Amino acid sequence: EYSYLIRYRLNADKTLKCHTDDSDITINVCLNDGFKGSELYFYPNYNKADTPPPYAEHKSDDTDTDVSTMQKIYHQHKKGYAVFHAGGIYHGVDSLQSG
């Protein structure tokens, strides 16, 4: 049993690259408001062993990547709410812009 906590701040952690967790279940909780950025995103259909590239880098001529499976889904944070998801789903956090 373990937990992992990140506090996003402009002078410290501002983002979290795309990854999977070594857990069955992951819980993401929004503890405050008054910020811009730090959107939680998921690649729910990504099945490769390596981390997917940023969505903007997908190329239609890339024969090794099926772009249709690269759907990127964003979650809009709301203070006091949590998101539960399988730890094996690729996810990350975009850069904090302010707050």
Side-chain angles (χ1 to χ4, degrees), residues 4-8 26-32 35 40 75 77-85:
Y4 184 73
L5 175 70
I6 297 179
R7 180 179 177 190
Y8 296 101
T26 295
I27 304 169
N28 292 282
V29 181
C30 182
L31 298 176
N32 65 340
F35 60 89
L40 175 63
H75 169 72
H77 290 296
K78 185 173 179 183
K79 182 180 177 180
Y81 285 78
V83 175
F84 291 70
H85 63 86

Side-chain angles (χ1 to χ4, degrees), residues 46-77:
Y46 197 79
N47 294 318
K48 291 192 176 183
D50 55 317
T51 302
Y55 196 71
E57 293 182 12
H58 298 316
K59 299 175 184 166
S60 59
D61 61 346
D62 183 356
T63 57
D64 190 37
T65 302
D66 179 2
V67 177
S68 67
T69 66
M70 300 297 284
Q71 180 183 18
K72 188 175 186 181
I73 297 173
Y74 279 94
H75 169 72
Q76 184 66 41
H77 290 296

